[in-house]
Amino acid sequence: MSAASSTALAGSAGRHSLAAGVLCGLAVALIWSSWSVATRFAVTTTLGPHDVTFLRFGVSALLLWPILARKGLGLAQIGIVRLLVMVLGAGVPFMMLGSVGMRFAPASHVATLMIGTMPIWVAVLSGVLFGEKFSRQQLGGMAVVLAGVLCIGGYALLANRAAGEWRGDLLFLLAGLCFASFTIAQRRSGISPWHATALVNVCSAVLFAPIYFFWFTPNIFTAPPASVGFQVVAQGILVAILGMYFYTEAVRRLGAPRAAIFGALAPALAALIGALFLKEIPAALTLAGIALVMGGVALVVTGARAKPR
């Protein structure tokens, strides 16, 4: 084979990998935004936050336990503190904070303040805990995100105080901080994303199942079967498994910074899907806040300092 043919094949493979990575990134944004709308619908109709939390971890644990059975807890490698941070950060506390918040605030808020700010929380925790330095672009992006959060939270607190949206916004920010803690711990654990996903979901299901059945009132037996089935797919399959698969593929094909940009699309998609299916029309100030958060996240994830070789 000639050198020209080899170069052409390599270029074609590169373009194919890039296109596949972009499609995976778009799938992640669509899954995350659809999940926020589906969960908002569930907790404001027939199911409660505890129900969607149980479905999220119960269903995914049934599908992912073979991975954990094969790889084990990995406690010697991970360490007890890091294991607790991972299980709590992406497990029941994270899901309960987000789903309870969705009882107060619309889907566009959860996609912006929880999903959209996760990269910001990761950057802040990296700086505080490990001394990571930020470029001017990243610092500027954080300031833009803060301005967006103030737009959304300010409107919820001042113009829509009676609806209690500010409570949901606060819970979304805390949930984003929880998941950012998981992200930091998972990166430093040395285990694969799939191993970490199985670990979090199975451990969360084991811990939460007795609490769900003996402490809460399960609604999954009285809610319409169609509603429960829809949440089984949305919670336990789409976001917990397919979302992770597409995200890891996007990172592998595009690199972490470019893959993270697609997460910034989730707020806009959630606002659009929420308007179409839930009739939740964001106010002008909220839309401005969503745009600012999306732009700020893009600045942060693309402005990382190059690591010395």
Side-chain angles (χ1 to χ4, degrees):
M1 183 182 293
S2 66
S5 298
S6 298
T7 302
L9 287 175
S12 177
R15 287 191 297 271
H16 176 76
S17 181
L18 176 63
V22 169
L23 289 176
C24 288
L26 292 174
V28 170
L30 182 60
I31 288 172
W32 285 354
S33 55
S34 299
W35 167 79
S36 65
V37 174
T39 306
R40 165 73 169 168
F41 175 76
V43 300
T44 54
T45 52
T46 57
L47 297 173
H50 56 291
D51 297 306
V52 293
T53 299
F54 175 75
L55 291 174
R56 162 74 176 264
F57 297 114
V59 174
S60 59
L62 290 175
L63 298 173
L64 293 172
W65 73 265
I67 297 177
L68 190 62
R70 185 172 67 251
K71 294 183 175 293
L73 288 176
L75 190 58
Q77 177 183 358
I78 302 172
I80 185 64
V81 174
R82 196 170 288 147
L83 175 64
L84 288 174
V85 171
M86 290 171 61
V87 172
L88 295 177
V92 174
F94 159 75
M95 187 63 188
M96 286 294 288
L97 283 169
S99 54
V100 170
M102 290 184 214
R103 284 191 157 178
F104 299 102
S108 59
H109 286 213
V110 64
T112 306
L113 299 178
M114 189 172 80
I115 299 172
T117 61
M118 282 179 191
I120 308 301
W121 283 123
V122 169
V124 170
L125 289 176
S126 298
V128 171
L129 298 177
F130 307 110
E132 183 173 324
K133 303 299 182 182
F134 304 117
S135 66
R136 290 184 178 179
Q137 178 178 324
Q138 285 182 302
L139 293 174
M142 292 180 189
V144 173
V145 169
L146 179 59
V149 170
L150 291 175
C151 285
I152 297 170
Y155 177 82
L157 186 60
L158 299 176
N160 211 16
R161 185 180 180 87
E165 286 186 1
W166 64 272
R167 296 182 178 91
D169 292 346
L170 180 59
L171 293 174
F172 297 153
L173 289 172
L174 292 175
L177 176 59
C178 284
F179 200 86
S181 301
F182 158 79
T183 302
I184 295 291
Q186 189 273 325
R187 284 181 182 175
R188 293 179 172 267
S189 69
I191 65 175
S192 69
W194 279 114
H195 187 188
T197 302
L199 182 65
V200 168
N201 283 275
V202 174
C203 289
S204 297
V206 170
L207 293 173
F208 188 64
I211 297 173
Y212 175 70
F213 285 107
F214 293 106
W215 185 268
F216 293 103
T217 301
N219 296 315
I220 58 174
F221 303 113
T222 57
S227 297
V228 176
F230 177 72
Q231 293 301 323
V232 164
V233 175
Q235 304 293 337
I237 298 176
L238 280 180
V239 71
I241 297 178
L242 291 181
M244 173 60 74
Y245 170 76
F246 286 125
Y247 181 72
T248 54
E249 277 296 297
V251 169
R252 184 174 71 86
R253 295 174 182 273
L254 302 175
R258 285 198 291 180
I261 293 176
F262 289 95
L265 296 176
L269 288 173
L272 177 60
I273 297 171
L276 289 175
F277 293 98
L278 302 180
K279 308 303 179 185
E280 295 177 348
I281 309 300
L285 190 59
T286 301
L287 288 174
I290 292 172
L292 286 171
V293 170
M294 291 171 59
V297 169
L299 288 173
V300 171
V301 299
T302 60
R305 293 176 182 270
K307 294 183 180 180
R309 295 182 181 272

